[in-house]
Amino acid sequence: VSYWIEILKAKVEGQMKSAYAAVYKPVSLTSIVPSIISKPESLTDWIFVIYILGILVCMLRYLFSFLSLRWKLRKGHVITKELAASIQEICDRYQLKACRTICVKGIQTAFVCAGFKNILVLPADEDLDQNVILHELLHLKYYDQWQTVFWCVLKCLHWCNPFLWYVFSRIENDMEALCDQRVLECLEGEERRTYGMTLLQMANEKYARVPGTSSISNGGANIKRRIESIVRFKK
């Protein structure tokens, strides 16, 4: 394979000057992160520059959304003693660990936000089903909020590849389906039906996950597929 890659590179680059590759010199990778080492001199050089700029734009966009969310969470307030007791009850029942928990106005659903210290964020104006909190605590247990950071980095590196964006979307949906499976294995009988109804109430089309967060909601169409999986649930 490398032989044909070198032949193809020689044919393409042999017709133009390049600041980043020589025709008869094997390609060497010194870093997993691509970088611009000099001024572009050819069409392929300019394509490479555009690719690098795309990575920077994606990373800055994700970083801005995460920092904006963390700034918004500063307005959160301490949860009530009753809610804290309810969370502790869930942790004791299913052998889970909680983290710092806050309530924030304007938040539509619960989620875990990554950071030096993880934060469980709950909407201030809604009475949450305990199964929603259980879902988020299971995300916390398996570090799913950090998984989303990893996938966002790969999204940035492959911003120009629509197939891989589709793959990353499927990965996020599979992560939620796996968490549903873990929740259902904790529940019994009628509680599973209640969990399905909870998901159904969140089946709206507004979905834009911030990197470093996990949430029970991942868009209307995806939630409908998750409910179908609940019907077929087996341990």
Side-chain angles (χ1 to χ4, degrees):
V1 176
S2 59
Y3 171 77
W4 292 107
I5 290 176
E6 290 302 322
I7 289 179
L8 180 60
K9 179 176 75 71
K11 285 187 175 295
V12 173
E13 292 291 346
Q15 307 299 321
M16 58 186 72
K17 294 181 179 179
S18 175
Y20 311 130
V23 178
Y24 300 109
K25 183 179 179 181
V27 175
S28 61
L29 299 177
T30 57
S31 171
I32 61 171
V33 180
S35 58
I36 300 173
I37 58 177
S38 61
K39 183 179 179 181
E41 297 179 359
S42 66
L43 175 61
T44 51
D45 287 350
W46 280 108
I47 292 174
F48 180 68
V49 169
I50 293 172
Y51 168 66
I52 297 296
L53 291 176
I55 292 176
L56 293 176
V57 169
C58 287
M59 285 188 169
L60 289 174
R61 173 172 164 262
Y62 283 135
L63 180 62
F64 176 77
S65 62
F66 178 76
L67 293 178
S68 296
L69 176 63
R70 294 290 297 195
W71 180 263
K72 187 174 183 178
L73 296 186
R74 295 180 63 181
K75 301 178 181 178
H77 54 82
V78 179
I79 59 175
T80 62
K81 292 182 179 180
E82 292 79 6
L83 184 53
S86 178
I87 294 173
Q88 188 59 50
E89 179 186 349
I90 296 172
C91 292
D92 294 339
R93 186 187 308 170
Y94 302 110
Q95 292 77 52
L96 298 172
K97 290 184 179 180
C99 62
R100 179 191 170 202
T101 306
I102 61 173
C103 288
V104 182
K105 291 185 178 181
I107 297 294
Q108 300 299 318
T109 185
F111 61 88
V112 175
C113 185
F116 292 111
K117 291 185 178 180
N118 295 311
I119 303 175
L120 174 59
V121 182
L122 305 177
D125 304 322
E126 297 183 25
D127 294 327
L128 283 181
D129 190 287
Q130 281 197 338
N131 293 335
V132 174
I133 299 176
L134 173 60
H135 181 102
E136 296 309 320
L137 290 176
L138 286 169
H139 273 312
L140 179 67
K141 177 180 179 180
Y142 292 98
Y143 304 101
D144 289 342
Q145 70 277 11
W146 287 108
Q147 277 199 57
T148 61
V149 175
F150 175 72
W151 299 123
C152 282
V153 170
L154 293 186
K155 280 182 181 179
C156 292
L157 293 176
H158 299 282
W159 66 268
C160 54
N161 190 331
F163 172 72
L164 285 180
W165 274 70
Y166 168 76
V167 170
F168 297 139
S169 176
R170 290 299 301 266
I171 288 172
E172 289 183 350
N173 292 335
D174 285 349
M175 185 172 62
E176 289 303 325
L178 177 58
C179 196
D180 288 339
Q181 177 80 11
R182 290 165 176 156
V183 171
L184 294 173
E185 289 181 351
C186 294
L187 304 180
E188 297 291 341
E190 189 63 27
E191 289 179 320
R192 293 175 186 155
R193 183 191 297 271
T194 303
Y195 182 69
M197 293 299 295
T198 300
L199 287 181
L200 189 61
Q201 293 171 0
M202 298 180 178
N204 61 69
E205 297 305 322
K206 293 182 178 179
Y207 169 65
R209 173 169 291 167
V210 175
T213 65
S214 65
S215 171
I216 192 173
S217 178
N218 64 336
N222 296 318
I223 283 182
K224 291 173 184 177
R225 284 193 288 268
R226 288 163 61 188
I227 292 174
E228 291 173 359
S229 298
I230 290 175
V231 175
R232 301 190 301 268
F233 168 75
K234 289 183 181 180
K235 287 191 176 182

